[in-house]
């Protein structure tokens, strides 16, 4: 396995420095864990660190600085990821799901660890147009309690964000949600994720940590579908929100101080 990886790197280094561990594994004909083990055998913490060390060998003499080239490559990947979502929009049941989520009260939203940020963004905007959104970002018994309370209050659906690395307790919590009778919709990067509705969008792993531009775009498309499902309520709630923020002076107006 390690010989295959080393051979591929030696023959295709200029291409390999822009590949993810999954892509390199596919090209070399090995498993993704084999790529990780290969990097660790060489003394690196993981494949991203190995890839970072190899990039100056290819990019050091180019017109771009290595860091600039790395960032451009990461942005190019995000643009391709967004193009994937754009091409697949019609395949996602956004209209149907938006109607379901707009109708369920309360609406629990789950996001643990790295997925917390996107779940929080989704919940923030969903609250502007939905009367009862409950954000659940803590695991353990608190997450179980939140799901149970939402179900008892009348919830029929739960939305979860589950991005790599996938927390075990998030998957287990969604299994529990199913046992409670909640229908599960998930924003993730895996089309095979075990849920009734899966909205999958690729993530970019070109940098030290993943970036989630495509899942964010898909999440905002889902908020839009919720808003379209109940246009009169959406307009009324948004107008009320604007009046409230104006009266409270929540946002700055004009030039910044």
């Amino acid at each position: 396995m390690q010989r295959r990886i080393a051979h591929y790197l030696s023959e295709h280094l200029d291409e390999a420095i822009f590949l993810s561990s999954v892509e390199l594994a596919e090209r070399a004909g090995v498993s993704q864990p084999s790529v990780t083990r290969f990097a660790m055998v060489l003394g690196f913490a993981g494949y991203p660190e190995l890839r970072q060390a190899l990039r100056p060998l290819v990019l050091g003499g180019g017109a771009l600085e290595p860091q600039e080239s790395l960032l451009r490559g990461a942005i190019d990947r995000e643009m391709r990821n967004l193009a994937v979502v754009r091409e697949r929009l019609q395949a996602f049941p956004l209209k149907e799901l938006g109607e379901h989520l707009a109708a369920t009260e309360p609406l629990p939203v789950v996001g643990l660890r790295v997925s917390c940020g996107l779940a929080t963004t989704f919940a923030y905007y969903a609250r502007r147009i939905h009367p009862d959104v409950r954000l659940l970002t803590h695991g353990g018994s608190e997450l179980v309690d939140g799901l149970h309370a939402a179900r008892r209050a009348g919830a029929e659906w739960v939305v979860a964000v589950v991005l790599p690395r996938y927390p075990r307790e998030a998957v287990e919590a969604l299994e529990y949600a199913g046992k409670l009778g909640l229908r599960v919709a998930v924003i993730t990067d895996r089309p095979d994720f075990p849920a009734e509705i899966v909205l999958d969008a690729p993530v970019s792993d070109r940098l030290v940590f993943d970036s989630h531009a495509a899942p964010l775009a898909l999440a905002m498309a889902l908020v839009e579908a919720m808003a379209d499902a109940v246009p009169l309520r959406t307009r009324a709630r948004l107008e009320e929100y604007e009046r409230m923020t104006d009266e409270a002076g929540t946002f700055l107006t004009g030039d910044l101080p």
Side-chain angles (χ1 to χ4, degrees), residues 27-125:
R27 304 287 178 86
V30 300
S31 66
Q32 189 276 336
S34 296
V35 174
T36 301
R37 287 194 293 270
F38 175 79
M40 296 180 72
V41 166
L42 295 178
F44 297 96
Y47 173 69
E49 187 175 305
L50 169 60
R51 183 179 56 190
Q52 188 75 8
L54 292 174
R55 280 175 170 156
L57 300 179
V58 176
L59 303 174
L64 297 176
E65 292 295 327
Q67 184 67 14
E68 182 181 356
S69 181
L70 170 62
L71 293 176
R72 287 193 178 191
I75 293 172
D76 287 344
R77 169 55 65 89
E78 290 287 33
M79 292 170 65
R80 288 194 293 271
N81 289 346
L82 288 167
V84 169
V85 173
R86 181 188 61 193
E87 294 302 317
R88 297 183 55 207
L89 273 179
Q90 291 186 344
F92 295 125
L94 287 171
K95 183 177 183 296
E96 175 189 359
L97 181 57
E99 292 171 349
H100 286 312
L101 300 185
T104 188
E105 292 184 35
L107 172 60
V109 177
V110 175
L112 305 183
R113 295 184 177 270
V114 74
S115 301
C116 170
L118 181 49
T120 300
T121 298
F122 174 83
Y124 176 86
Y125 288 111

Side-chain angles (χ1 to χ4, degrees), residues 9 19 41 55 78 110 112-113 131 141-142 167 171 175 187 200 213 223:
L9 289 175
L19 297 177
V41 166
R55 280 175 170 156
E78 290 287 33
V110 175
L112 305 183
R113 295 184 177 270
S141 60
E142 185 175 345
V171 177
E175 291 175 352
I187 298 172
D200 60 295
V223 173

Side-chain angles (χ1 to χ4, degrees), residues 9 15 17-18 20 64 67 118 127 139 142 145 147 152 167 180 186 189 195 199 207-208 215 242:
L9 289 175
E15 175 186 356
I17 60 171
F18 295 111
S20 69
L64 297 176
Q67 184 67 14
L118 181 49
R127 283 193 183 109
E142 185 175 345
D145 289 347
L147 290 170
R152 289 195 63 181
L180 289 175
V186 176
D189 69 321
L199 304 178
L207 304 176
V208 175
E242 289 301 318

